[in-house]
Amino acid sequence: MSRHVLGIRYLDTTEIDTLLALAAEFKLRVIEGREVPQLPKKVVGMLFFENSTRTRVSFEMAANYLGLKTANFAAGASSMSKGETLKDTILTLRYERLDALVIRHRMSGAPNLAARFFGGPVLNAGDGMHEHPTQALGDALTILERKGQIEGLRVSIIGDVEHSRVARSNAWLLSNLGAEVRFVGPRTLIPTEPGQIPGIVHHDLATGISGADVIICLRLQKERMSEGMLSSVGEYASMYQINREALAWANDDCLVMHPGPINRGIEVDDWTADGDQSAITAQIENGVFVRMASLYWGFGGGLEDIIEPHVPVTARRAA
Ligand code: CP
């Protein structure tokens, strides 16, 4: 059996729970130096058509922990530069007998197209303005570790929601698990039809983060912006930057997150990014474990394969 991870919107609550529980179990085992399941005969293609640091390296690390081999694909050095389509590239990799694909692409829906033609698990590593499901899973694991639960939390997502696949995946995931999701930003950077993503819109930062339990800052994606979306970066920072003054509007123990890469001094100041309430490095660390979970689950593995039936993860930890 193989499964795809194309977007959070395509997963149900049970599947999200399973992925998070697998990630928590893998994290525990890696930290304690215990065995994790091995898939040594499988080869995963790493197709990064857009730049990446965190996602690419964490998928490589996840594959290493699971004993998977990886085949790297440099888009610029591939036959796509000679005009080959994405469909023909995917078919080529299929008949070269790769077992799974991790794909990042600037085009929304590219992983969905790959899944139609590949024949094995396809994992979305971020596609255009559509989804970044493993980022959202890592963020959820981080919130669960710090807050104990997601249900009932107020989560404010700040900034360039319009261009953000992270905002979309987080909104789908966190609302599915019972959080109140708010989008906060200037009118030009909030989707014109925000009703398509679950969340309440605010344009005033103080109101938008009032009583927040979690703040997720977003990078200003200038490479995806058209002319006139932002009057100036300085003005944006003066209105929407998360800093000591802004944090006073949120709950005292509000968690500050950012998927990276961070534009320090714009979306968030140094004091906040490096402060006690920041969970940014935890998000990076958890990225490895949710990607292990996604690869393992994609190849058909489940919790029941690594934990005795009916024994909760917490009980096993105590054992
Ligand atoms: N958060 C994220 O996707 O970072 P990278 O672009 O470095 O992978």
Side-chain angles (χ1 to χ4, degrees):
M1 182 189 17
S2 73
R3 307 178 181 109
H4 306 302
V5 181
L6 300 175
I8 297 293
R9 71 191 74 186
Y10 312 120
L11 301 174
D12 63 28
T13 311
T14 307
E15 291 169 325
I16 293 168
D17 275 343
T18 299
L19 285 162
L20 291 172
L22 277 171
E25 178 67 16
F26 286 149
K27 181 173 184 176
L28 200 64
R29 290 188 187 201
V30 168
I31 287 170
E32 292 177 355
R34 289 193 282 125
E35 283 183 6
V36 295
Q38 295 295 292
L39 304 164
K41 296 211 168 91
K42 306 283 189 192
V43 183
V44 183
M46 297 284 175
L47 279 65
F48 280 76
F49 295 91
E50 272 190 343
N51 294 341
S52 167
T53 300
R54 281 146 286 268
T55 312
R56 181 178 196 129
V57 175
S58 58
F59 263 118
E60 290 273 0
M61 286 298 294
N64 278 337
Y65 280 128
L66 292 170
L68 290 157
K69 294 181 179 62
T70 56
N72 279 292
F73 175 93
S78 78
S79 288
M80 293 189 82
S81 63
K82 301 175 201 164
E84 186 167 69
T85 63
L86 180 61
K87 173 185 166 181
D88 285 328
T89 301
I90 299 300
L91 285 172
T92 302
L93 299 173
R94 172 179 183 158
Y95 288 102
E96 287 176 337
R97 307 189 70 82
L98 269 70
D99 297 294
L101 295 180
V102 170
I103 178 166
R104 168 170 288 196
H105 204 286
R106 69 177 183 284
M107 184 183 84
S108 299
N112 300 60
L113 186 140
R116 276 176 55 200
F117 296 108
F118 183 61
V122 174
L123 281 66
N124 180 358
D127 62 329
M129 292 154 49
H130 178 223
E131 286 237 20
H132 196 347
T134 56
Q135 176 70 45
L137 287 164
D139 294 350
L141 182 61
T142 305
I143 296 171
L144 278 170
E145 287 175 346
R146 298 288 180 99
K147 297 284 182 190
Q149 62 176 60
I150 287 174
E151 189 170 8
L153 293 182
R154 295 191 192 102
V155 182
S156 299
I157 302 178
I158 317 291
D160 188 0
V161 178
E162 170 70 11
H163 301 105
S164 178
R165 52 201 180 205
V166 173
R168 287 171 174 78
S169 290
N170 265 312
W172 286 110
L173 193 156
L174 296 169
S175 58
N176 185 317
L177 298 188
E180 175 194 310
V181 176
R182 305 169 181 176
F183 302 119
V184 189
R187 286 176 202 284
T188 48
L189 296 182
I190 300 286
T192 45
E193 293 182 51
Q196 291 174 350
I197 340 170
I200 306 155
V201 173
H202 294 272
H203 298 297
D204 172 61
L205 184 64
T207 318
I209 64 174
S210 169
D213 301 295
V214 178
I215 290 173
I216 301 177
C217 308
L218 300 173
R219 182 175 70 87
L220 282 183
Q221 299 195 35
K222 283 183 261 174
E223 72 278 16
R224 295 189 215 275
M225 283 183 200
S226 53
E227 196 76 17
M229 293 195 90
L230 207 58
S231 57
S232 82
V233 170
E235 187 179 79
Y236 171 85
S238 72
M239 293 178 73
Y240 292 104
Q241 184 185 91
I242 299 303
N243 49 34
R244 190 196 296 245
E245 187 190 345
L247 267 187
W249 294 316
N251 280 347
D252 287 346
D253 58 352
C254 180
L255 216 54
V256 178
M257 306 175 76
H258 193 306
I262 305 174
N263 291 308
R264 281 179 181 259
I266 299 175
E267 299 112 20
V268 60
D269 71 346
D270 286 338
W271 181 85
T272 310
D274 301 326
D276 293 342
Q277 287 171 253
S278 171
I280 294 171
T281 53
Q283 288 173 268
I284 297 167
E285 185 183 18
N286 284 334
V288 174
F289 304 111
V290 293
R291 285 163 186 135
M292 283 177 79
S294 301
L295 286 164
Y296 182 70
W297 186 80
F299 280 117
L303 259 185
E304 65 283 1
D305 299 314
I306 59 169
I307 299 173
E308 292 86 351
H310 314 301
V311 177
V313 176
T314 44
R316 191 175 165 85
R317 277 179 195 163

